[in-house]
Amino acid sequence: MALNQKITKKIKEKAANDDFLRKNMIMLLSKVDEGKQPKRLIETILNEIR
Amino acid sequence: MRIESIEIQNFRQYRSEKFSFPQMPGKKDIHVIIGENGEGKTNILNALTWCLYGEELHLGDKNTAISNINSQYVHELRNHGERNGEAKVTVVMSIEDGGLITFMRTATYSITDSNIIETRQDVIATSTENGGHRIIDNKNDYAMYVSRYVPIEINEYIFFDGELMDQYFKSDKKGNIESGIKDLTKASTIEKTRNALKSFAKNEIAPVLRNNGDAKVREAQQALENAQKNQQEQQDKLGIIVGQLNTAESKVEELKGVIQGFDTLKDKTDRLSELEQESDKLKERQRKIYVEMMEFARQNYILFAMYPALKEFKDYIQNQETKGNLPPKIDRRLVQSIIDSKECAICGCKLGTEHLQHVLAVLHKLEVSSVTSAELNRASSALNAFFDTIKAYPRRKQAIIEAKKDIDIRIKKNDEEYKALSLELKNIPNQEEIRRAIIEREDYKKQSDRLHEKFGREELLLEARVRAVKKAEKELDAAMRSNHRMDIYRKQLDFCTKGIMLLDDTLKEIIEECRLEMQAATFEIFDKLVWKKDAFTQVNILEDYSFELLDSYGQQTLGACSAAERALLALSFTIALQQTSGHDSLLYIDTPLGRVGEKNRINFMQVLSGIADTKQVILSFTPTEYDENVRGQLAGQYSSYCELNFNNGVTTIKK
């Protein structure tokens, strides 16, 4: 099952002005939905913040 | 998604059987399995869930269930001196793109003369998806893979136990409905991600800020943590109240269904026992009045018997008095006291010798009057009292008659009301249950009112604590901004905070929209399927995930409708859930007619047959369930049919 399209649409709308947040939140949710552990994923995202 | 086959080896009462569920051309995707109770119908479901999740989700009692390896097989192994055995279940599923997935779970057992110990479990999933071939033999990946197609959280919406279907909407099942909606709409993914962000901010970033060299940042972080702790405590408190409130409110609703139409039953039964007590009191009062009446009659009989003689006696005295044969009615003691005090008893003037002589003369006259005359005088007073009593007779008689009449009328009225009420109550079924429900509902209503008040107070406090957290966050942000070394943490924290807010907002909206969509879809499906047309007008899924099924008068009727209708609502909700979420799954129902009365069986089977137009439906019946009507209904429609045969502790498929 793919991540509910409604969720993606809502995230896109709500974070329309913040590319970094929008892109990473959609990625994070998709990976968590596939069963990946979120902690590692968050670490990777935050490491991009310098 | 369909189940193509389930192969069971040495599991429970199965030695080696394969159930195949092919869809035959021109037939519906319905598959029928027939077996007596205890012959292994439910264990096909247990084999299925064990293979997928490693758990037998349909066991009667997990604590007392024996090991799942087949007993006959174990016996044979022991006889042959073998020490190891295997139970294995293989499930083949087909998915939307035409791919096939094979899930296989094997348990290995060490077998001694007295024990059977599971030593290991192996899983393997092989798939041909999108033209590729994939093998998974790692337990975590296997679980993740299963979760992609048949998540354990929603297994209840795929693999049904028909016996429990009408229990779906009990208040203690609300959690299942909530998790069903959250899982299928992926709201649980948002929740999981948001919680991970929260926990990362708390456990990874906060300690760095708390222990860094900048005192301002340290203090601000400490203040924020305190504020967050206060907020969390208040939220937990509020959560408990909301939980209690939801329970109380859904109990009120649930009991409403039991009570429906009999709201005044408690008042009536109370009135009945009041009437019983009143009747006892009235009858006691009636008995007393009767005794009083008898006493009155007896007394007056004597008085009337004495009347002629006493009348004659009184006339004689009067005659003597008229003739002046009786002494004047003067109190001798009074006259003596006047003589002794030498004072007038009326004006108090001193009496002279002459006056005293007159008084002495009166006394003398009294002393010289005959004793008989004096006695007659006294008798006259007693006779007057007697005649007064006789005079009062009609009034007293009337009062007693009135009292008796009044009590008779009251007893009659009481009896009439009692008879009418007890006749009415006799016609109400399950009186005791309804009465208990009314009392219980009153208690829950009071509890709910109290909790509403409490919620209001605590919510205000929570708002204040949320404001305190926001303020502390700003202060921390300001402290971090003044130290450029903190920039990276500030940005990371900012990302987490924004992410949490974004996911919180999305979660709320998704859940609310899905709830409303589910509500509409459930009713649409239910309305289409239900055999009593126009009897129901709306389905409401409330915010706490409790259900309302409204009748044509807008009244909640879920508790009062039949088990078959509740089971149908559960089915409608499941199909709506699958439709809304886009999760196209099969339905496997064990004993689908277990709770459906004979009258509704054909209707229910028509519904299941209709559902099979769009999805696979596997049904396992007892022979009693699969009666002539059901057989007739499914004749020529199903794609596969098999009967179970149980012999010497082993179930096989009848050839």
Side-chain angles (χ1 to χ4, degrees):
Chain A
M1 273 194 295
L3 182 66
N4 193 326
Q5 284 183 348
K6 270 189 199 167
I7 298 176
T8 317
K9 198 178 159 203
K10 281 190 188 295
I11 302 276
K12 279 182 183 167
E13 278 169 12
K14 287 176 190 293
N17 300 325
D18 191 333
D19 287 350
F20 185 76
L21 183 69
R22 187 180 65 245
K23 192 187 78 184
N24 283 299
M25 277 300 153
I26 291 173
M27 183 275 290
L28 188 55
L29 283 167
S30 304
K31 298 273 183 195
V32 171
D33 189 43
E34 283 168 17
K36 300 260 163 48
Q37 284 306 311
K39 192 184 164 189
R40 285 281 159 79
L41 298 163
I42 296 170
E43 263 173 4
T44 315
I45 296 168
L46 295 184
N47 279 338
E48 285 180 38
I49 300 175
R50 290 285 165 216
Chain B
M1 187 183 63
R2 300 182 73 261
I3 294 181
E4 296 296 330
S5 66
I6 305 169
E7 194 175 350
I8 311 173
Q9 284 167 290
N10 301 323
F11 182 92
R12 298 280 169 210
Q13 63 263 72
Y14 292 94
R15 284 302 302 270
S16 180
E17 290 300 325
K18 184 175 177 178
F19 294 88
S20 297
F21 308 108
Q23 180 166 17
M24 305 306 269
K27 305 278 180 186
K28 292 204 176 197
D29 205 357
I30 298 180
H31 306 270
V32 177
I33 301 168
I34 309 287
E36 286 284 2
N37 288 327
E39 282 191 344
K41 288 187 307 301
T42 309
N43 278 337
I44 305 173
L45 262 186
N46 277 324
L48 186 59
T49 62
W50 181 73
C51 173
L52 297 174
Y53 313 119
E55 281 182 64
E56 293 173 87
L57 296 173
H58 299 266
L59 273 183
D61 181 359
K62 282 177 191 164
N63 299 325
T64 55
I66 54 165
S67 164
N68 60 22
I69 189 167
N70 180 268
S71 303
Q72 193 193 56
Y73 170 59
V74 170
H75 183 69
E76 283 173 15
L77 288 173
R78 279 177 178 147
N79 281 348
H80 290 96
E82 295 280 344
R83 290 293 169 203
N84 291 308
E86 268 184 8
K88 187 195 287 182
V89 177
T90 311
V91 176
V92 180
M93 286 183 174
S94 57
I95 48 175
E96 287 151 34
D97 66 355
L100 281 181
I101 308 169
T102 304
F103 293 104
M104 185 168 77
R105 186 179 293 268
T106 311
T108 308
Y109 295 88
S110 161
I111 296 158
T112 65
D113 289 341
S114 54
N115 279 322
I116 303 169
I117 298 158
E118 188 183 303
T119 50
R120 57 180 288 177
Q121 255 189 44
D122 294 294
V123 286
I124 184 160
T126 54
S127 76
T128 50
E129 274 182 90
N130 307 320
H133 190 73
R134 190 175 172 198
I135 297 177
I136 293 165
D137 55 4
N138 168 294
K139 275 185 187 165
N140 286 338
D141 292 345
Y142 181 92
M144 257 163 57
Y145 203 50
V146 169
S147 185
R148 264 176 67 180
Y149 296 99
V150 269
I152 187 166
E153 294 83 0
I154 58 153
N155 84 87
E156 284 195 13
Y157 298 96
I158 301 170
F159 312 120
F160 281 92
D161 183 344
E163 292 280 352
L164 303 176
M165 264 166 80
D166 74 319
Q167 309 281 315
Y168 257 68
F169 306 106
K170 291 262 176 194
S171 56
D172 57 348
K173 298 275 178 190
K174 279 188 307 194
N176 293 353
I177 294 172
E178 181 179 0
S179 67
I181 290 182
K182 283 187 174 173
D183 281 308
L184 279 180
T185 56
K186 303 284 183 181
S188 51
T189 304
I190 306 180
E191 252 179 358
K192 196 175 171 187
T193 313
R194 179 203 57 191
N195 293 344
L197 276 169
K198 272 187 180 175
S199 129
F200 197 92
K202 186 181 168 192
N203 301 325
E204 307 295 327
I205 305 176
V208 178
L209 303 179
R210 209 185 303 134
N211 301 314
N212 80 92
D214 187 324
K216 265 189 183 175
V217 172
R218 268 204 324 266
E219 278 167 25
Q221 174 60 27
Q222 197 57 56
L224 175 64
E225 281 177 26
N226 290 341
Q228 281 169 335
K229 190 174 162 244
N230 289 340
Q231 182 189 334
Q232 191 55 50
E233 278 172 4
Q234 190 59 19
Q235 260 165 350
D236 292 346
K237 207 171 174 184
L238 222 54
I240 293 169
I241 298 172
V242 169
Q244 291 169 336
L245 196 58
N246 286 343
T247 308
E249 284 181 348
S250 34
K251 278 282 179 191
V252 169
E253 278 307 312
E254 205 173 296
L255 292 165
K256 220 190 217 176
V258 181
I259 296 162
Q260 202 172 37
F262 302 113
D263 293 68
T264 54
L265 184 122
K266 184 181 169 289
D267 296 340
K268 283 179 181 168
T269 51
D270 284 351
R271 178 69 188 143
L272 197 75
S273 64
E274 234 175 67
L275 285 171
E276 274 170 4
Q277 286 171 7
E278 238 175 73
S279 166
D280 289 348
K281 277 183 197 162
L282 287 172
K283 281 179 182 157
E284 177 60 19
R285 175 86 191 105
Q286 189 190 40
R287 195 189 60 78
K288 278 184 182 163
I289 288 178
Y290 186 74
V291 169
E292 205 182 317
M293 213 165 76
M294 288 296 107
E295 181 62 16
F296 177 74
R298 196 184 59 79
Q299 277 174 1
N300 282 283
Y301 174 77
I302 296 168
L303 292 180
F304 281 113
M306 287 165 70
Y307 183 79
L310 292 173
K311 177 81 171 67
E312 200 177 319
F313 185 34
K314 189 173 185 269
D315 289 348
Y316 169 76
I317 296 169
Q318 255 180 352
N319 194 24
Q320 291 302 315
E321 201 176 5
T322 316
K323 285 178 183 168
N325 292 343
L326 295 183
K329 288 171 187 168
I330 296 170
D331 189 341
R332 287 179 63 192
R333 279 170 303 178
L334 177 72
V335 177
Q336 187 59 56
S337 74
I338 293 170
I339 295 167
D340 292 345
S341 64
K342 294 176 185 171
E343 267 181 14
C344 175
I346 298 162
C347 65
C349 292
K350 287 286 174 194
L351 299 174
T353 318
E354 194 186 343
H355 295 113
L356 278 173
Q357 287 301 326
H358 286 300
V359 179
L360 277 168
V362 170
L363 188 62
H364 178 68
K365 201 176 176 183
L366 283 174
E367 277 170 356
V368 295
S369 65
S370 75
V371 173
T372 311
S373 300
E375 287 301 325
L376 284 176
N377 224 347
R378 274 198 293 275
S380 180
S381 309
L383 284 171
N384 283 339
F386 171 82
F387 286 105
D388 282 347
T389 311
I390 292 285
K391 225 186 265 172
Y393 170 78
R395 192 175 39 80
R396 284 189 61 205
K397 184 183 156 194
Q398 191 57 32
I400 290 175
I401 288 173
E402 291 295 328
K404 189 178 176 303
K405 249 190 210 168
D406 178 59
I407 211 82
D408 286 349
I409 291 170
R410 284 168 67 189
I411 287 175
K412 196 178 164 208
K413 270 190 185 166
N414 183 297
D415 280 354
E416 281 170 0
E417 193 182 343
Y418 184 85
K419 272 181 198 158
L421 206 54
S422 61
L423 188 70
E424 191 186 334
L425 291 173
K426 257 184 207 162
N427 293 327
I428 299 175
N430 309 325
Q431 246 188 73
E432 204 33 56
E433 190 193 339
I434 295 170
R435 193 186 148 75
R436 270 201 308 272
I438 291 172
I439 297 170
E440 227 180 300
R441 185 183 61 171
E442 286 310 308
D443 288 346
Y444 280 118
K445 266 187 183 169
K446 281 182 200 159
Q447 197 182 331
S448 158
D449 290 345
R450 279 198 304 272
L451 288 166
H452 267 296
E453 274 178 36
K454 198 173 170 187
F455 181 83
R457 287 197 303 271
E458 298 296 338
E459 203 183 25
L460 280 177
L461 204 53
L462 177 65
E463 280 169 17
R465 292 189 175 180
V466 169
R467 283 196 298 274
V469 169
K470 295 248 181 278
K471 193 179 162 210
E473 277 172 352
K474 274 186 189 165
E475 281 168 6
L476 176 64
D477 190 65
M480 287 167 92
R481 276 179 196 280
S482 60
N483 181 346
H484 72 277
R485 284 183 295 121
M486 290 282 128
D487 260 5
I488 182 170
Y489 300 114
R490 185 178 58 77
K491 285 177 187 166
Q492 286 182 343
L493 199 58
D494 186 51
F495 175 83
C496 290
T497 312
K498 280 182 184 163
I500 292 164
M501 276 166 60
L502 176 67
L503 295 181
D504 261 339
D505 279 359
T506 311
L507 185 65
K508 271 183 206 154
E509 283 179 21
I510 286 283
I511 287 179
E512 186 57 9
E513 282 170 18
C514 287
R515 187 175 65 81
L516 296 175
E517 256 179 70
M518 286 295 309
Q519 183 175 286
T522 302
F523 183 68
E524 200 186 315
I525 297 164
F526 181 75
D527 194 42
K528 214 181 282 171
L529 300 180
V530 74
W531 38 90
K532 274 200 274 179
K533 295 295 172 195
D534 302 325
F536 306 101
T537 52
Q538 201 175 325
V539 166
N540 289 331
I541 304 175
L542 306 181
E543 279 179 26
D544 66 339
Y545 298 97
S546 58
F547 264 68
E548 277 184 353
L549 176 62
L550 305 187
D551 65 12
S552 49
Y553 301 101
Q555 293 291 311
Q556 158 74 307
T557 181
L558 189 58
C561 64
S562 71
E565 285 159 349
R566 278 199 297 274
L568 183 67
L569 186 63
L571 263 184
S572 308
F573 172 69
T574 300
I575 299 165
L577 194 57
Q578 292 189 5
Q579 269 178 15
T580 312
S581 62
H583 183 89
D584 176 31
S585 178
L586 68 136
L587 283 179
Y588 188 136
I589 313 181
D590 183 29
T591 59
L593 303 173
R595 301 286 296 161
V596 181
E598 273 182 40
K599 219 170 75 184
N600 289 323
R601 287 187 171 186
I602 294 184
N603 294 320
F604 203 79
M605 284 317 300
Q606 279 172 346
V607 167
L608 289 174
S609 169
I611 291 171
D613 287 338
T614 53
K615 60 174 72 230
Q616 185 187 31
V617 177
I618 304 173
L619 305 168
S620 57
F621 297 97
T622 61
T624 326
E625 268 184 288
Y626 199 65
D627 60 15
E628 206 178 319
N629 293 328
V630 178
R631 266 202 304 276
Q633 194 60 47
L634 291 180
Q637 293 201 38
Y638 50 74
S639 284
S640 77
Y641 173 93
C642 71
E643 285 181 28
L644 302 179
N645 186 36
F646 186 69
N647 205 2
N648 289 331
V650 173
T651 296
T652 51
I653 300 171
K654 262 189 198 170
K655 298 297 175 204

